[in-house]
Amino acid sequence: MDLNNNLTTPIQKLSENLNNNSFFIKRDDLFPISFGGNKARKALLFFKDLFAKGSDCIVTYGSSSSNHCRVIANIAAAKGIPCHIISPTKSSSPTSNSKMINLFGATITKCPVSKVSTTIENKINELKLKGFNPYFIQGGGHGDVGTQSYVNVYEEILDYEKSSGVYFDYIFHTSGTGTTQAGLICGKVINGDKREIIGISNARKNPYGGQVVMDSVKSYLSKQHNSSVESNAITFIDDYVLDGYGSYNHSVLLTIRDLLISDGIPVDATYTGKAFWGMKEYIKRNSIFNKKILFIHTGGTPLFFDKLEELRNER
Ligand SMILES: *Cc1c(COP(=O)(O)O)cnc(C)c1O
């Protein structure tokens, strides 16, 4: 696996036309490594950083449905790097992601959610005592390296706009642990753009969710650029989180089914399908008409297959 390929993803028009808006989608789910998505984008940069720092094993955490852990375990296996995953016992029923994580030979340590940080610390110390030089990645690929990958995506969007003549008034995407949104906002700030970037939260509520994005933006900008950010720069919408991480309703399932049938694009109930539904509700509620709207498909294809049976029964 070559980590230095310069990989980009396509943007395509959708058949959706709610409120006479034109909808486009950036297919980061097709990012061509390990079923793609934003975690694959982030992971490539994390592994480059790992090798630059001379580390020789990896420690990270996430639940059994974690896209992040799947991608990290896949690249670690490709590179022959031992991969240690700390996983909360609560959400540990088998999924396509967890089955792949096992296939890739990652070492899983389960613990209660409240013990995650001490378990991580213990694991890192244990590895150091054995003579390893561990590289730690926060859950979801959080941190400046993760942010960088979505600054890169923002640049790809600008390239598309230049070559197509289409300008996006709004960029919508699923916002979880915050670096996807932080990267897009940093890209916007660095380029002095005015458009709206709207993160539809799939789990976290404000003020915490939005604050984490803001902290990530500030952290990145202070290290990489001398630009600052206004206190109202983050639009982190928590109106569509339902009962939190992993929860969804009938409307989310219908949205997933409709997009699969109308455009042949799979989205999932935990992240992208939920946010696509949230985006449409937001557009109705805020009376957005006649705009060009880009939705970033941040991946999660294995999660789509986990819900396929349920989708089939949806009417
Ligand atoms: C993790 C994830 C997100 C959220 O990205 P963050 O950078 O954590 O905000 C969105 N979509 C999918 C499919 C994900 O796996």
Side-chain angles (χ1 to χ4, degrees):
M1 188 185 288
D2 188 345
L3 303 181
N4 291 310
N5 282 328
N6 187 18
L7 304 170
T8 62
T9 59
I11 292 179
Q12 71 194 97
K13 193 162 186 300
L14 293 175
S15 47
E16 176 66 57
N17 61 359
L18 173 65
N19 284 1
N20 205 32
N21 294 298
S22 308
F23 288 85
F24 295 76
I25 191 163
K26 182 160 176 63
R27 297 294 305 275
D28 258 18
D29 58 316
L30 299 180
F31 191 78
I33 286 180
S34 194
F35 295 89
N38 61 355
K39 304 311 184 303
R41 280 226 186 237
K42 297 183 197 190
L44 281 195
L45 298 191
F46 277 113
F47 273 90
K48 278 189 203 171
D49 192 43
L50 175 153
F51 288 118
K53 295 199 162 105
S55 293
D56 52 14
C57 69
I58 199 154
V59 178
T60 191
Y61 73 94
S63 71
S64 65
S65 61
S66 171
N67 294 314
H68 165 69
C69 292
R70 173 195 80 244
V71 175
I72 294 295
N74 196 161
I75 303 178
K79 295 292 174 192
I81 301 266
C83 177
H84 298 269
I85 294 172
I86 315 300
S87 196
T89 16
K90 198 176 115 231
S91 45
S92 64
S93 44
T95 65
S96 302
N97 279 333
S98 70
K99 289 174 201 166
M100 279 192 270
I101 290 166
N102 289 328
L103 177 77
F104 299 138
T107 309
I108 318 273
T109 307
K110 295 216 165 112
C111 69
V113 181
S114 60
K115 293 258 159 54
V116 164
S117 49
T118 42
T119 310
I120 289 169
E121 245 171 75
N122 292 343
K123 179 57 79 182
I124 290 173
N125 289 333
E126 176 196 317
L127 288 164
K128 282 183 182 162
L129 280 175
K130 285 184 184 157
F132 284 102
N133 179 8
Y135 185 89
F136 175 63
I137 307 177
Q138 289 186 56
H142 200 68
D144 290 338
V145 173
T147 302
Q148 178 65 52
S149 67
Y150 273 78
V151 175
N152 298 351
V153 167
Y154 194 86
E155 297 294 335
E156 282 181 33
I157 294 169
L158 294 184
D159 287 346
Y160 175 86
E161 289 181 322
K162 256 178 232 139
S163 63
S164 69
V166 173
Y167 176 83
F168 299 116
D169 304 290
Y170 290 85
I171 298 174
F172 283 88
H173 67 95
T174 317
S175 205
T177 60
T179 38
T180 297
Q181 187 163 14
L184 294 170
I185 289 171
C186 289
K188 172 180 147 173
V189 169
I190 292 163
N191 287 284
D193 289 343
K194 286 280 173 286
R195 73 179 107 226
E196 299 258 11
I197 294 173
I198 301 179
I200 304 289
S201 174
N202 70 319
R204 289 181 178 169
K205 297 290 279 183
N206 281 316
Y208 175 64
Q211 189 57 49
V212 173
V213 177
M214 181 54 108
D215 292 346
S216 306
V217 167
K218 285 185 174 159
S219 166
Y220 181 87
L221 290 179
S222 69
K223 279 178 205 144
Q224 319 278 334
H225 296 268
N226 249 342
S227 26
S228 61
V229 62
E230 287 162 29
S231 59
N232 63 355
I234 316 293
T235 310
F236 183 89
I237 303 300
D238 66 359
D239 296 332
Y240 310 104
V241 301
L242 304 171
D243 293 328
Y245 186 84
S247 66
Y248 54 93
N249 60 20
H250 180 66
S251 307
V252 172
L253 291 179
L254 280 183
T255 302
I256 295 173
R257 191 172 169 273
D258 287 351
L259 192 59
L260 182 67
I261 292 173
S262 65
D263 294 274
I265 297 174
V267 286
D268 76 280
T270 304
Y271 297 101
T272 52
K274 191 170 173 178
F276 200 87
W277 164 73
M279 169 182 78
K280 288 183 16 179
E281 293 302 308
Y282 182 92
I283 286 168
K284 287 185 228 163
R285 186 183 286 183
N286 293 282
S287 303
I288 297 170
F289 283 89
N290 305 320
K291 300 291 185 197
K292 297 232 171 11
I293 294 172
L294 178 69
F295 181 81
I296 302 185
H297 190 327
T298 43
T301 302
L303 299 177
F304 165 82
F305 286 104
D306 288 339
K307 290 285 182 300
L308 195 50
E309 280 308 304
E310 241 175 284
L311 216 54
R312 223 163 53 96
N313 299 326
E314 199 58 35
R315 289 280 177 273

